[in-house]
Amino acid sequence: MSERNTAIRSLHDLGLAAWFGGSLMGAVGLNGAAEDEGDTEATRDRISSSGWAKWAPANAAAIGAHLFGGGGLLAANAHRVATQQGVAASTTVKTVVTAAALAATAWARVLGKKIELASSTDPDDAEKAAKHPIDVDKARRQLHVAQWAVPTLTGCLITLNALHGEQQRPSEQMPGMWERARSATHLMS
C-alpha cells in the first residue's frame, strides 16, 4: 500500500514543528519579555524586533523544509490523492491553510520590519522610516493579529497532518479507494 518516506516526512514534520513552535514562542515568550522589560513602547518594539529578526533565518529554513517535504509527500502519495476517497479534499484544505500561514508569516515580517525601522535609534533606519512613514499604533495592532494567526494556522496544519496519518492506515486506504472507484463507476453509468 504505502512505502516509507522517512526523509521527506521528517523534513515536512520538523519544518512545521519549528514554524509552529517558533511562532508560538515568539508571540508568547519574546513579545511577553519585551513587554516586561521595555520601559517605553519604542524600547519594547526594539527588543521584540531584535528577537524576531534573529529568528527570521531559522524560520525561513523551517518553512522551506516543510514545503520541500510536503512536495515530496504529495509526489509520493499522488496515487492515494487521486484514488482514495477524502484524501484529495484534505490535501486541498491543507494546501489552502498552508498558503494562509505563509501569507500571515510574510505579513507579520513586513509589519515587524516597519516597526523595527520606526523604533530604531540608528540614523540610517530613521531615514528609511521617514521615507515610508507608517501609523505605528495601527501596525502594532495588525502585527499582534498576524503573529497570533501564524501559530493558529500552523496548529491547524498539525491537525491536518494527523488526519493524513489516519487516512494512510491500511484499514482506511482500501475502503477509501473502493468508495472512490464505486463513485466513479456510478458517474459513468
Side-chain angles (χ1 to χ4, degrees):
M1 297 258 171
S2 59
E3 57 189 60
R4 290 180 180 245
N5 304 110
T6 306
I8 58 173
R9 188 175 306 280
S10 294
L11 284 171
H12 176 268
D13 293 353
L14 289 170
L16 180 56
W19 190 10
F20 169 77
S23 65
L24 184 60
M25 193 296 255
V28 174
L30 175 58
N31 290 349
E35 196 64 34
D36 290 347
E37 297 300 319
D39 53 352
T40 67
E41 199 70 48
T43 302
R44 289 188 282 276
D45 288 343
R46 280 194 300 276
I47 292 168
S48 185
S49 293
S50 176
W52 282 107
K54 288 181 185 339
W55 170 245
N59 195 42
I63 293 168
H66 173 68
L67 295 176
F68 183 81
L73 287 174
L74 183 59
N77 290 289
H79 177 71
R80 283 186 46 250
V81 173
T83 60
Q84 185 180 341
Q85 180 96 15
V87 176
S90 62
T91 300
T92 300
V93 170
K94 189 174 173 189
T95 302
V96 169
V97 174
T98 300
L102 287 167
T105 300
W107 183 237
R109 185 64 187 129
V110 166
L111 291 168
K113 192 65 179 169
K114 288 179 178 184
I115 292 170
E116 177 184 340
L117 289 173
S119 66
S120 178
T121 57
D122 182 317
D124 291 337
D125 288 346
E127 185 179 321
K128 289 177 192 173
K131 288 181 183 177
H132 305 285
I134 62 164
D135 179 340
V136 178
D137 289 332
K138 180 180 176 183
R140 281 186 194 116
R141 287 189 304 275
Q142 290 175 337
L143 181 59
H144 180 78
V145 171
Q147 285 177 336
W148 279 103
V150 176
T152 300
L153 291 164
T154 53
C156 289
L157 289 173
I158 291 169
T159 302
L160 287 165
N161 283 349
L163 173 62
H164 276 186
E166 294 296 321
Q167 288 175 329
Q168 200 163 5
R169 292 174 184 254
S171 63
E172 293 284 324
Q173 286 186 39
M174 285 309 290
M177 289 179 186
W178 173 253
E179 185 59 35
R180 175 64 77 109
R182 196 170 71 93
S183 296
T185 303
H186 286 300
L187 290 175
M188 294 177 159
S189 333

